[in-house]
Amino acid sequence: MRPVKLAIVVPCYNEEQALPISARSLLDVLDRMSAAGLTSEDSYILCCNDGSRDKTWDVIEQLHVADSRVKGISLAHNRGHQYALLAGLTTVIDHCDAAVSIDADLQDDPEAIIEMVKEYNAGAEIVYGVRSSRETDTMFKRATAHAFYKFQNAMGLDTVYDHADYRLMSNRALTLLSHYGESNLFLRGIVPQIGLKTAIVTYSRASRVAGESKYPLSKMLSFSIDGITSFTARPIRFIFFLGLILLLLDIVVAIYVLISYFMHNYDAGWPSLMLSIWFLGSITLIAIGVVGEYISKIFTEVKGRPRFEIAEKIFD
Ligand code: UDP
Ligand code: MG
């Protein structure tokens, strides 16, 4: 088997403390893989500085001087993890056979990269890193993260459970990814849509080597909402069906009101008020749902996602 030219893409935001440690671990993994003939000698690490306010970029430059396998790009602004990652992944297209994305804090076990490359050699084009345990995360982080996956799936967003953005993608998968031109980036939702052959590698999640989390609960929540609203119109359907259910309940309310009316058991104006409130309420919800369906269609069109990708061809 020919050694794989591997790119390891690392988004970095204010990671001056963690980066030297993680770069050393990643280089060590690369050394061992290349000694074992798994990866080529020109495999490399691409650090994507996401507009850090600390000395992250200086650290990247120093790391490059010490070992030219460490490369870097620097975004002009802080755009967030997903964008830093995409910047890195699109930079390495056609400059590698496969790329692994991993956080700078080593929470995702770098040893799993070896298994990922083996899965790639076995034919997988996308290999998801899935956490087998979260013992080192706080109870709160664990509970909120699980609630986050469950909620998303209930809302109709198809993601891989307990997989964040630690994954290997073949050069072909990266090229297909680059066809998604959307601005609201939620890679965990897009990558499963790419298709191709996938595999899973499990690892246990460690705590940060240095520095602190850049993902507080507020960011996680807005990230979750972003994911749902970028991938599914199910919340709008809920509104529509709620309207339908209320319309059905209208019948019950109408019967109750009419009985009260005929039994002369009501205050003046109450029957007409009750009937109109229920009827108008449900009609309003249904109308919002219908309008929403059209808006969701516009939203899908605007994103201009690829409608299909051809994986194999026997055609000439
Ligand atoms: N990160 C980034 N831009 C940001 C926030 C985070 O590039 O605006 C990077 C960060 O440097 C790290 C990764 O994204 O490599 C994940 O962030 P973090 O570890 O803080 O998130 P957590 O693991 O706590 O969810
Ligand atoms: Mg982290």
Side-chain angles (χ1 to χ4, degrees):
M1 186 82 58
R2 188 173 65 87
V4 178
K5 179 169 179 182
L6 186 71
I8 301 181
V9 176
V10 189
C12 313
Y13 176 59
N14 295 345
E15 298 284 9
E16 59 179 12
Q17 291 169 335
L19 200 51
I21 308 171
S22 38
R24 204 174 319 127
S25 303
L26 292 173
L27 284 170
D28 175 57
V29 171
L30 277 184
D31 282 337
R32 276 184 285 134
M33 284 194 298
S34 108
L38 266 180
T39 56
S40 67
E41 305 230 318
D42 57 352
S43 296
Y44 58 94
I45 300 170
L46 179 71
C47 301
C48 311
N49 176 32
D50 184 18
S52 299
R53 275 173 301 212
D54 66 358
K55 295 205 172 4
T56 300
W57 184 244
D58 298 339
V59 171
I60 295 171
E61 284 177 330
Q62 286 157 16
L63 287 167
H64 173 72
V65 171
D67 191 324
S68 62
R69 285 178 299 169
V70 180
K71 302 174 195 291
I73 55 171
S74 191
L75 302 194
H77 300 282
N78 175 237
R79 292 289 289 119
H81 172 240
Q82 297 286 294
Y83 299 90
L85 196 52
L86 186 71
L89 292 176
T90 46
T91 301
V92 300
I93 292 177
D94 294 338
H95 295 282
C96 64
D97 297 322
V100 169
S101 48
I102 186 169
D103 290 350
D105 56 10
L106 289 193
Q107 284 195 274
D108 303 318
D109 182 8
E111 297 300 318
I113 295 176
I114 303 172
E115 297 309 312
M116 288 182 182
V117 172
K118 286 181 181 161
E119 290 289 352
Y120 169 79
N121 278 336
E125 300 220 37
I126 300 175
V127 186
Y128 297 106
V130 169
R131 295 159 190 172
S132 59
S133 77
R134 280 178 174 264
E135 277 129 35
T136 50
D137 276 351
T138 59
M139 269 274 274
F140 181 72
K141 176 99 190 179
R142 220 178 323 167
T144 47
H146 279 157
F148 170 90
Y149 288 106
K150 290 225 172 80
F151 181 59
Q152 284 180 341
N153 285 334
M155 282 294 155
L157 171 59
D158 184 23
T159 53
V160 178
Y161 196 67
D162 254 349
H163 157 72
D165 284 300
Y166 185 25
R167 68 177 85 84
L168 175 144
M169 294 175 79
S170 68
N171 190 58
R172 177 159 74 146
L174 292 175
T175 311
L176 298 189
L177 173 68
S178 71
H179 297 166
Y180 287 75
E182 57 206 82
S183 311
N184 283 290
L185 203 55
F186 190 74
L187 290 169
R188 279 169 229 189
I190 298 174
V191 175
Q193 294 204 345
I194 292 178
L196 301 179
K197 191 167 183 276
T198 63
I200 281 179
V201 161
T202 54
Y203 65 96
S204 60
R205 178 136 161 116
S207 37
R208 253 182 174 274
V209 285
E212 53 196 40
S213 172
K214 278 95 197 162
Y215 264 101
L217 183 63
S218 57
K219 256 197 193 173
M220 229 166 91
L221 256 178
S222 73
F223 189 48
S224 175
I225 291 171
D226 244 17
I228 292 163
T229 51
S230 299
F231 282 89
T232 146
R234 204 174 273 188
I236 291 173
R237 300 254 156 87
F238 276 153
I239 296 178
F240 180 75
F241 284 114
L242 191 65
L244 276 187
I245 291 168
L246 286 186
L247 196 61
L248 288 179
L249 278 181
D250 261 9
I251 300 169
V252 181
V253 173
I255 292 170
Y256 172 66
V257 170
L258 285 179
I259 291 173
S260 307
Y261 178 77
F262 286 119
M263 294 177 75
H264 301 287
N265 181 20
Y266 65 94
D267 291 326
W270 180 79
S272 53
L273 203 59
M274 275 304 273
L275 290 178
S276 7
I277 285 176
W278 275 80
F279 187 67
L280 286 178
S282 50
I283 292 294
T284 309
L285 281 184
I286 289 172
I288 293 175
V290 170
V291 174
E293 281 292 329
Y294 284 97
I295 294 180
S296 78
K297 291 279 183 304
I298 297 172
F299 186 54
T300 319
E301 295 291 342
V302 163
K303 278 197 295 256
R305 283 184 182 157
R307 283 167 292 184
F308 53 81
E309 304 275 13
I310 294 171
E312 318 287 349
K313 257 188 208 167
I314 305 177
F315 180 85
D316 33 36

